[in-house]
Amino acid sequence: MPTTPEEMRLRDTAIGLKVELTEANYQREKYELANAELRNEIQDLNDRLWMEQKASQQAAENLHRTIAMRDAEITAIHQSHTWRIGFFVMAPLRWIKRSKR
Amino acid sequence: MSVVIPTCGHSVLVDGVVQYLVLELLKSFGAETSALHEIIVVADAHTPHEVTQALSTMPKVALENFSEPFNFSKKCNVGARRASGDIIFFLNDDMLAHSAGWVNQIQQQFTNPSVGGVGGLLLTPEGLVQCAGHANAPRPHIYGVGKDTTDPAFRSQLMTTRETSGLSGACFAVRRTDYVEVGGMCEELPSSYNDVDLGFKLKETDKKLMYVPSIQFVHYESMSREPTVGVEETALIWRRWGRYFEHDPLVP
């Protein structure tokens, strides 16, 4: 065999370095892909969080608005004539009840 | 075809009689020896004198001395450089030939130029599978360990000649030119994964590895040394070939 031990080792080293480089590139690409996927996922989650926050803020505002409206309606009822008339209409009934005791 | 056998002359006691593994292996070749070009035994410095003496009297056997610290890959490379056959067949010394016609079957496989490596079925002394090629996902490992070749559930996958992801270094035939081209076995993998690495290097040159189950050897696995896997060896094999350990398309 016309090959010295040194030549054999050099051939092995050359092939070894070449395939190590290929392997390193492959792993780098794999990790870059995984990183990109992870980044996309994080972005997705951020978007969803922002939308949820926005929706929840809107719901809170709507609720406040509804409460304020109901509050105004109740106040209006309390202050209305209907309530006063009712009070006087019910006065004799209250008197009858009290006198029966 | 040249057979290369790295050895350190280990022996076992059978019925109180010392039997040297490498000598038993050579005896088990039987008539196949005549079809071989040569048998190169790469022997450590501490190989018993009886063994080296017996080897020197055996036909076609050439002895190559190896005086460095244990390095399986280096021993194989030393043997390969000495070999002059067109095909080099690496065999561990703790094996016994279990089938006839293996020389012819190996040569037959190499008539296909796209074949880069050939290996056979390795059996335990009990007759179960010790190695039926390698599988590489999720990490390189021996395929078929402990299975029974007569079991109908496994018979087709174990007893069919097929392309495989890797071959055991205990029984690995390769063209001499291909072996030189890929730089032989990586000497930075002295103990483990050198066969996995060699297989991948051959595949890098667009060659296939073939598992041929009609080539059968009994393998007394790790009888001649402790089965250890170095951290550096694991790191190196992943650094070189990690991308192939994600998915193995050749597992039957």
Side-chain angles (χ1 to χ4, degrees):
Chain A
M1 188 178 277
T3 313
T4 65
E6 199 48 43
E7 276 173 21
M8 292 271 279
R9 259 193 296 277
L10 284 174
R11 277 171 199 261
D12 174 66
T13 306
I15 293 172
L17 289 176
K18 193 184 131 208
V19 298
E20 274 187 46
L21 189 65
T22 311
E23 176 65 23
N25 275 329
Y26 171 83
Q27 294 297 344
R28 183 179 51 78
E29 279 170 24
K30 203 173 99 176
Y31 285 116
E32 276 175 2
L33 198 69
N35 270 345
E37 273 173 15
L38 211 61
R39 271 201 300 274
N40 281 347
E41 221 168 286
I42 290 167
Q43 187 59 49
D44 242 33
L45 287 171
N46 272 337
D47 290 351
R48 276 169 54 189
L49 182 68
W50 183 83
M51 279 160 71
E52 293 289 334
Q53 277 175 339
K54 187 89 181 158
S56 129
Q57 197 182 342
Q58 266 177 358
E61 278 169 11
N62 284 344
L63 191 64
H64 281 139
R65 209 172 302 131
T66 310
I67 289 168
M69 275 166 64
R70 292 282 175 270
D71 200 30
E73 277 172 20
I74 289 164
T75 311
I77 288 167
H78 270 264
Q79 288 171 349
S80 72
H81 290 289
T82 318
W83 185 82
R84 280 183 218 158
I85 290 164
F87 181 79
F88 287 116
V89 168
M90 296 298 283
L93 291 174
R94 280 201 299 274
W95 181 80
I96 292 165
K97 256 188 186 173
R98 219 177 293 145
S99 64
K100 276 185 181 173
R101 284 183 203 152
Chain B
M1 183 163 88
S2 305
V3 172
V4 170
I5 308 168
T7 187
C8 51
H10 269 293
S11 59
V12 286
L13 266 181
V14 179
D15 298 329
V17 180
V18 176
Q19 290 192 341
Y20 292 102
L21 297 173
V22 65
L23 301 180
E24 293 306 309
L25 169 64
L26 293 176
K27 276 185 221 163
S28 76
F29 283 5
E32 296 292 313
T33 308
S34 59
L36 292 170
H37 175 64
E38 62 190 346
I39 301 164
I40 295 160
V41 179
V42 185
D44 277 359
H46 57 269
T47 302
H49 181 64
E50 305 94 278
V51 178
T52 51
Q53 201 168 28
L55 287 169
S56 62
T57 63
M58 287 182 150
K60 299 198 177 181
V61 173
L63 195 63
E64 186 73 32
N65 293 313
F66 185 83
S67 52
E68 296 177 48
F70 175 78
N71 185 324
F72 180 80
S73 299
K74 210 174 230 185
K75 281 172 96 172
C76 288
N77 289 344
V78 165
R81 273 192 297 276
R82 170 83 181 262
S84 55
D86 53 348
I87 297 164
I88 302 172
F89 185 30
F90 294 101
L91 277 176
N92 277 16
D93 63 353
D94 53 353
M95 314 256 278
L96 291 176
H98 193 251
S99 62
W102 49 269
V103 176
N104 186 38
Q105 286 170 63
I106 290 169
Q107 283 168 335
Q108 192 67 37
Q109 286 294 325
F110 282 111
T111 56
N112 180 349
S114 69
V115 170
V118 177
L121 168 62
L122 307 185
L123 299 162
T124 64
E126 295 77 30
L128 298 175
V129 174
Q130 189 275 319
C131 176
H134 282 177
N136 286 327
R139 64 191 169 282
H141 61 279
I142 296 168
Y143 181 75
V145 178
K147 287 180 180 165
D148 184 350
T149 55
T150 59
D151 186 334
F154 305 120
R155 191 166 170 75
S156 67
Q157 41 182 280
L158 296 172
M159 297 309 291
T160 308
T161 297
R162 60 177 170 83
E163 187 183 351
T164 180
S165 305
L167 294 166
S168 168
C171 174
F172 199 132
V174 59
R175 271 189 209 88
R176 191 162 56 95
T177 48
D178 290 341
Y179 191 78
V180 173
E181 192 190 329
V182 300
M185 285 206 193
C186 175
E187 295 179 7
E188 287 174 61
L189 298 167
S191 174
S192 304
Y193 296 129
N194 31 49
D195 46 5
V196 175
D197 183 69
L198 177 63
F200 276 122
K201 285 196 290 183
L202 290 167
K203 279 161 163 280
E204 277 289 296
T205 63
D206 289 330
K207 294 283 166 69
K208 289 189 289 190
L209 305 177
M210 297 301 295
Y211 163 70
V212 185
S214 53
I215 301 167
Q216 294 181 9
F217 284 83
V218 172
H219 189 197
Y220 298 86
E221 170 74 317
S222 296
M223 194 172 266
S224 50
R225 68 180 172 88
E226 285 296 311
T228 51
V229 180
V231 178
E232 292 89 357
E233 291 178 305
T234 308
L236 178 60
I237 203 73
W238 277 86
R239 227 167 42 231
R240 281 189 174 187
W241 311 106
R243 60 198 173 281
Y244 296 112
F245 304 151
E246 291 171 3
H247 169 66
D248 189 339
L250 294 175
V251 172

